[in-house]
């Protein structure tokens, strides 16, 4: 009996979404598929999406957890608009995600979970697998639970324990369908369950059973190949990285380049907690982490570390920024380097902890009492979080100021390939601490003035406590220029306020670069994580023959010095944001331009096609 070889079809890109209960291991499944895809050499972008609850109600729509992966043989920018493949572990997962699927998409459903009770729980009056509602899709009914339990019969596991491995069966099946490597996943499972070898063996067995099922079943007649993205990347060593991990590595690299110990004072908060977790693993690099009892204590400890001569960081999300605001103002007054990392999430109040938003820009700019200017920068992609952390450290150390770094949940949890830089490519961030007196009094005696400024940067000296002769007072009351003594003098306060503002205004940042190949009349200006969707939308429009320019801001305070001149060149300025128009408001106020705001605040990133359609309408307005 001869075996007929299955057809292998080549594709240039694929978008896969794994979806199930938050306890079904969809994030782990997606992470493993992503890791193998990265090792294979594809370009990729991911979008994890999960409930805020630790264990959301099983089988309900609010309890659905999903992980979307877009991978390709060429350069891509987003996790994709619409999945080509949906793996639905239960009726809730199907119902929550079916609206995003284009007709003809493949749906792999775990038929074991489509019981009457489970379907009624999400509002299905009849089984969608039988009522014809899925006729426009390529549906693969697979009894994942039953097959997994059957594959693990030889193991001394209860049925409930065996069922937990069904995500690995699904991962094996998808790994076969798309020719993903398997060695890395098996190695990962052995390491993850090293203290429970039977569980490790069971998961590996389920994973292999899923692979073999794809190889032998007649329902999957075709497998797919997506070649490595050989031309998408400059030469170098790459790894897959999430935004929070890249940011953590950027902070460590900055501390090494500055030759300063790294100190993190933080209170756990989604989606910033991963930075605390990661940095706590790197004591060998001189990293000290302090999990404080609350947000105020976290930043207070960090500011104390800055006074003591460390590269100091505090991490949080929007609600935590509100609590830290008084201490950020204190850092402005003390003029000490401090990185305030805000991984933005949906608000207000505690809001949407696991959903993304860009709505903290105005809080970062103005959310303190008095005139308390702070530099603000924002990364554009997960990998770019590394460079943004380095840049935030450069500004903080050079200009002796707290700096806001505005990432968000989309960047923090998403991932993409990252080229690991060579050490010689990293900037030199070393600083010179004050060593002795810096001012001569009228009587000729030499003293240390803690607020005597560098004429170029307006930064005050940084004196490490305990240095003989450099003793000085600090506190939240206004300082006298030069001496740092307490001063209530109106003229001195006016001078100090203006000087602190001038210091921020004078920060040297690179000019804004504009991508405008054919002299367009419309400029799309973005910031932060909108970079991927905006760039993908602009590419689509240009392929359709439209003329449109694009620029993306990293530095939001101060703005690049050429921004006003750039805005004046274009008839229309369009600013897509995941808020209600905060950057657009700043641009209108600063440059008196009629910036057109296009925004959404639904907790999800923009889709490229959605942006392309909106921009096309604006291009063709009279």
């Amino acid at each position: 009996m001869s075996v007929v070889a299955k057809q292998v079809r080549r594709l240039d890109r694929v978008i896969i979404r794994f979806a199930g209960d938050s306890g079904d291991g969809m994030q782990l499944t997606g992470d493993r598929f992503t890791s193998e895809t990265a090792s294979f050499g594809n370009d990729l972008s991911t979008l994890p999406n999960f409930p805020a609850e630790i264990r959301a109600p099983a089988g309900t729509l609010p309890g659905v957890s999903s992980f979307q992966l877009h991978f390709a043989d060429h350069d891509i920018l987003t996790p994709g608009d619409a999945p080509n493949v949906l793996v639905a572990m239960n009726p809730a997962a199907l119902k929550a995600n079916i609206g995003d699927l284009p007709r003809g998409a493949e749906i792999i459903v775990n038929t074991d979970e489509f019981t009457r009770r489970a379907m009624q729980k999400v509002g299905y009056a009849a089984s969608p697998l039988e009522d014809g509602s899925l006729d426009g899709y390529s549906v693969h009914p697979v009894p994942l639970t039953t097959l997994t339990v059957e594959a693990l019969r030889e193991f001394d596991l209860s049925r409930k324990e065996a069922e937990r491995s069904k995500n690995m069966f699904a991962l094996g099946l998808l790994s076969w369908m798309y020719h993903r490597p398997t060695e890395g996943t098996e190695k990962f499972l052995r390491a993850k369950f090293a203290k429970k070898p039977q569980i490790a063996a069971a998961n590996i067995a389920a994973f292999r059973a899923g692979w073999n099922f794809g190889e032998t079943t007649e329902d999957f007649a075709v497998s797919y190949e997506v070649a490595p993205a050989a031309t998408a990347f400059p030469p170098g060593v790459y790894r897959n990285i999430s935004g929070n991990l890249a940011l953590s590595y950027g902070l460590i690299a900055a501390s090494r380049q500055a030759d300063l110990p790294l100190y993190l004072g933080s209170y756990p908060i989604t989606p910033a907690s991963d930075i605390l977790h990661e940095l706590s693993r790197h004591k060998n690099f001189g990293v000290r982490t302090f999990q404080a009892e609350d947000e105020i204590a976290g930043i207070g400890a960090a500011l104390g570390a800055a006074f003591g001569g460390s590269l100091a960081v505090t991490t949080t999300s929007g609600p935590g920024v509100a609590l830290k605001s008084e201490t950020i103002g204190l850092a402005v007054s003390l003029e000490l380097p401090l990185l305030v990392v805000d991984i933005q999430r949906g608000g207000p109040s505690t809001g949407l902890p696991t959903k993304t938003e860009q709505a903290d820009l105005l809080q970062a700019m103005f959310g303190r009492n008095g005139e308390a200017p702070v530099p603000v920068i924002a990364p554009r992609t997960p990998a770019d979080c590394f460079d943004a952390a380095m840049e935030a450290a450069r500004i903080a150390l050079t200009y002796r100021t707290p700096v806001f770094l505005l990432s968000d949940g989309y960047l923090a949890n998403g991932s993409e390939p990252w080229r690991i830089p060579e050490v010689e490519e990293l900037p030199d961030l070393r600083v010179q601490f004050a060593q002795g007196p810096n001012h001569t009094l009228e009587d000729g005696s030499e003293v240390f003035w803690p607020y005597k400024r560098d004429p170029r940067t307006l930064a005050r000296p940084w004196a490490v406590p305990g240095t003989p002769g450099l003793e000085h007072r600090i506190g939240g009351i206004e300082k006298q220029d030069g001496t740092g003594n307490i001063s209530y003098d109106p003229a001195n306060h006016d001078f100090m306020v203006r000087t602190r503002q001038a210091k921020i205004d004078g920060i040297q940042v690179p000019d804004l670069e504009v991508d405008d190949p054919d002299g367009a009349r419309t400029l799309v200006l973005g910031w932060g994580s909108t970079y991927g969707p905006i760039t993908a939308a602009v590419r689509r429009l240009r392929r359709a023959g439209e003329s449109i320019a694009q620029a993306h801001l990293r530095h939001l305070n101060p703005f690049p010095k050429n921004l006003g001149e750039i805005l004046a060149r274009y008839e229309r300025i369009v600013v897509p944001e995941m808020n209600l128009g905060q950057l657009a408001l700043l641009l209108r106020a600063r440059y008196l331009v009629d910036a057109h705001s296009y925004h959404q605040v639904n907790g999800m990133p923009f889709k490229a096609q959605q942006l392309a359609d909106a921009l096309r309408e604006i291009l063709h307005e009279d």
Side-chain angles (χ1 to χ4, degrees):
M1 179 178 174
S2 62
V3 177
V4 179
K6 292 193 175 185
Q7 180 185 354
V8 178
R9 188 175 301 162
R10 293 189 178 275
L11 302 174
D12 63 348
R13 68 187 186 99
V14 174
I15 303 167
I16 297 174
R17 184 181 297 175
F18 299 93
D21 270 334
S22 58
D24 282 340
M26 294 297 93
Q27 303 306 315
L28 175 62
T29 305
D31 280 340
R32 288 314 313 157
F33 196 95
T34 299
S35 294
E36 298 297 358
T37 296
S39 69
F40 188 71
N42 296 117
D43 195 10
L44 62 89
S45 180
T46 67
L47 178 62
N49 186 19
F50 44 89
E53 291 80 10
I54 293 174
R55 185 65 175 92
T60 64
L61 293 174
V64 172
S65 173
S66 67
F67 188 104
Q68 184 162 306
L69 165 69
H70 182 190
F71 61 102
D73 65 1
H74 58 277
D75 175 33
I76 57 174
L77 298 152
T78 74
D81 290 355
N84 307 114
V85 181
L86 171 67
V87 180
M89 303 299 279
N90 60 17
L94 177 64
K95 188 160 191 178
N97 293 282
I98 190 67
D100 291 338
L101 267 63
R103 290 291 174 172
E106 293 194 73
I107 304 175
I108 300 172
V109 288
N110 180 14
T111 55
D112 289 326
E113 296 297 320
F114 279 71
T115 63
R116 174 179 291 183
R117 186 168 180 272
M119 289 187 289
Q120 287 177 342
K121 191 181 288 190
V122 296
Y124 279 128
S127 173
L129 306 181
E130 299 171 358
D131 65 4
S133 60
L134 300 179
D135 285 352
Y137 306 96
S138 176
V139 181
H140 302 279
V142 180
L144 283 171
T145 307
T146 300
L147 290 170
T148 303
V149 171
E150 180 67 21
L152 302 185
R153 266 194 314 176
E154 65 185 81
F155 295 90
D156 185 22
L157 299 173
S158 68
R159 180 178 176 87
K160 187 174 182 180
E161 289 173 327
E163 286 179 1
R164 288 177 183 159
S165 296
K166 63 181 180 290
N167 64 325
M168 288 297 105
F169 188 100
L171 178 60
L173 173 57
L174 268 292
S175 297
W176 172 83
M177 282 182 66
Y178 291 97
H179 295 250
R180 299 296 92 183
T182 61
E183 296 81 5
T185 293
E186 294 192 8
K187 182 179 178 181
F188 166 84
L189 290 170
R190 290 190 187 95
K192 182 176 178 62
F193 299 108
K195 296 181 180 179
K196 299 179 179 178
Q198 185 183 38
I199 299 297
N203 276 283
I204 291 171
F207 176 67
R208 291 175 177 173
W211 176 282
N212 293 332
F213 178 77
E215 184 72 31
T216 57
T217 184
E218 294 181 3
D219 193 38
F220 292 91
V222 179
S223 64
Y224 304 93
E225 281 188 356
V226 181
T231 61
F233 307 120
V237 177
Y238 286 80
R239 59 156 294 167
N240 182 51
I241 201 165
S242 68
N244 273 350
L245 185 57
L247 206 156
S248 301
Y249 288 173
L251 294 173
I252 295 170
S255 77
R256 302 292 284 186
Q257 293 302 105
D259 197 21
L260 297 174
L262 179 65
Y263 184 93
L264 174 67
S266 184
Y267 179 75
I269 183 170
T270 302
S273 299
D274 287 342
I275 302 171
L276 171 61
H277 301 160
E278 183 61 34
L279 289 181
S280 68
R281 299 186 178 106
H282 295 288
K283 297 179 180 65
N284 56 313
F285 286 118
V287 179
R288 282 173 280 182
T289 53
F290 169 53
Q291 181 174 317
E293 66 269 28
D294 56 38
E295 294 282 5
I296 299 171
I299 189 172
L303 185 56
F307 180 58
S310 293
L311 176 59
V313 185
T314 190
T315 53
T316 189
S317 190
V321 173
L323 294 168
K324 295 178 188 290
S325 61
E326 183 180 9
T327 308
I328 297 171
L330 177 60
V332 171
S333 175
L334 300 184
E335 301 189 45
L336 286 170
L338 173 68
L339 303 188
V340 181
V341 177
D342 177 7
I343 313 296
Q344 300 166 95
R345 73 191 204 189
S349 187
T350 50
L352 302 170
T354 60
K355 307 302 179 184
T356 194
E357 209 164 274
Q358 286 183 299
D360 292 349
L361 176 56
L362 294 183
Q363 181 178 219
M365 289 286 291
F366 306 118
R368 294 161 295 283
N369 64 296
E371 296 288 345
V374 172
V376 181
I377 71 170
R380 59 175 60 181
T381 68
D384 188 48
C385 289
F386 178 91
D387 294 321
M390 297 285 290
E391 175 66 354
R394 177 191 74 84
I395 292 173
L397 294 170
T398 303
Y399 296 91
R400 312 282 197 272
T401 176
V403 177
F404 259 98
L405 195 160
L406 293 182
S407 180
D408 61 46
Y410 173 34
L411 296 183
N413 297 318
S415 64
E416 66 176 348
W418 171 58
R419 188 182 71 84
I420 302 172
E422 300 293 336
V423 173
E424 56 269 20
E425 297 173 26
L426 301 178
D428 184 350
L429 301 179
R430 286 174 294 182
V431 297
Q432 183 65 49
F433 289 113
Q435 300 296 323
N438 62 358
H439 185 74
T440 304
L441 298 176
E442 290 183 2
D443 63 4
S445 58
E446 294 187 336
V447 296
F448 175 66
W449 273 15
Y451 279 82
K452 185 167 186 175
R453 301 180 182 279
D454 182 303
R456 181 180 64 86
T457 64
L458 298 183
R460 78 174 186 89
W462 194 4
V464 176
T467 305
L470 303 190
E471 299 84 1
H472 61 284
R473 292 187 297 270
I474 61 170
I477 305 299
E478 183 62 280
K479 319 293 185 296
Q480 183 182 57
D481 178 42
T483 68
N485 296 332
I486 291 174
S487 172
Y488 296 99
D489 178 64
N492 177 77
H493 176 60
D494 183 272
F495 178 80
M496 293 295 279
V497 166
R498 294 178 186 276
T499 300
R500 288 189 290 261
Q501 183 66 58
K503 181 174 71 169
I504 304 306
D505 292 342
I507 291 173
Q508 294 297 309
V509 303
D511 280 348
L512 181 64
E513 296 182 0
V514 182
D515 175 18
D516 185 2
D518 54 4
R521 296 161 55 193
T522 299
L523 172 69
V524 187
L525 182 64
W527 70 277
S529 65
T530 57
Y531 173 77
I534 290 174
T535 307
V538 166
R539 286 181 181 180
R540 293 185 186 195
L541 290 172
R542 287 177 179 169
R543 285 196 298 267
E546 303 284 3
S547 177
I548 189 167
Q550 178 192 359
H552 209 77
L553 285 166
R554 161 167 285 176
H555 298 88
L556 298 157
N557 192 36
F559 286 129
K561 288 186 169 48
N562 66 335
L563 178 56
E565 178 269 322
I566 288 172
L567 296 177
R569 294 205 309 249
Y570 293 91
E571 294 179 15
R572 293 190 191 91
I573 311 296
V574 186
V575 186
E577 298 181 79
M578 292 188 293
N579 56 49
L580 294 182
Q582 296 187 13
L583 175 60
L585 180 70
L586 295 175
L587 296 175
R588 291 188 188 109
R590 178 71 60 85
Y591 299 104
L592 304 180
V593 297
D594 185 19
H596 182 106
S597 183
Y598 181 78
H599 41 248
Q600 71 176 34
V601 280
N602 61 7
M604 297 293 288
F606 285 112
K607 292 182 178 179
Q609 190 58 52
Q610 165 200 357
L611 266 182
D613 292 342
L615 293 172
R616 186 179 290 107
E617 279 190 32
I618 294 169
L619 286 171
H620 293 285
E621 287 178 352
D622 292 334

